[in-house]
Amino acid sequence: MTSDNTKATPSVRLRRDGAVDDGTLAYARTKIDAVVGRPGLPSVFGEVRIQRAAAHHVQRPWSATADLHIGTRQVVVLAEEASGRALVDQLQDRLRRQAEKAAHAWDDGHRTTNPPWRGGDRHSA
């Protein structure tokens, strides 16, 4: 079963596959909104998918994949855990780190030009 929840942040779609309960989905929405809604972050859009394996013998039945575009950078984050809340917490930590990197790269004032041997302009230096 695949369902869709686009209530709070329309630019980041939250999807679920398998037996993901509504409580875990609401917790994930809160955590994701906290990361992508921080001030100073460029525009964010994409999709986060949370899955729960149907097999009972799997050690980490919960998995998540986030594929977001933050400014001009694409950020892909993967997480696996034994419980839904632990999965969402791990996903939030990884998303926050990647969002910080994307926010720093987005600032055009701090970018340097490539040297000539890496395809940069020879006359700009």
Side-chain angles (χ1 to χ4, degrees):
M1 176 183 144
T2 301
S3 73
D4 196 348
N5 178 10
T6 58
K7 292 178 186 172
T9 307
S11 61
V12 177
R13 173 180 261 175
L14 180 60
R15 301 184 70 164
R16 64 176 157 187
D17 288 337
V20 177
D21 57 299
D22 290 334
T24 303
L25 207 60
Y27 184 66
R29 172 54 68 195
T30 303
K31 295 294 190 169
I32 292 167
D33 286 346
V35 172
V36 300
R38 95 167 173 78
L41 202 62
S43 65
V44 179
F45 65 93
E47 179 178 277
V48 177
R49 181 177 297 240
I50 297 178
Q51 299 173 324
R52 186 173 181 191
H56 66 280
H57 63 277
V58 178
Q59 283 184 335
R60 294 183 186 166
W62 291 87
S63 64
T65 305
D67 185 6
L68 302 178
H69 293 273
I70 302 175
T72 58
R73 288 188 64 175
Q74 181 179 13
V75 173
V76 177
V77 175
L78 306 172
E80 287 184 341
E81 275 299 327
S83 70
R85 287 182 87 77
L87 173 79
V88 172
D89 291 339
Q90 183 183 65
L91 180 69
Q92 182 192 23
D93 290 341
R94 291 180 178 183
L95 271 176
R96 181 176 288 127
R97 271 184 271 150
Q98 293 298 323
E100 290 294 325
K101 288 180 183 180
H104 289 307
W106 181 65
D107 186 12
D108 290 334
H110 292 104
R111 288 189 186 170
T112 60
T113 58
N114 285 335
W117 59 88
R118 290 201 176 165
D121 187 15
R122 293 181 185 270
H123 303 291
S124 65

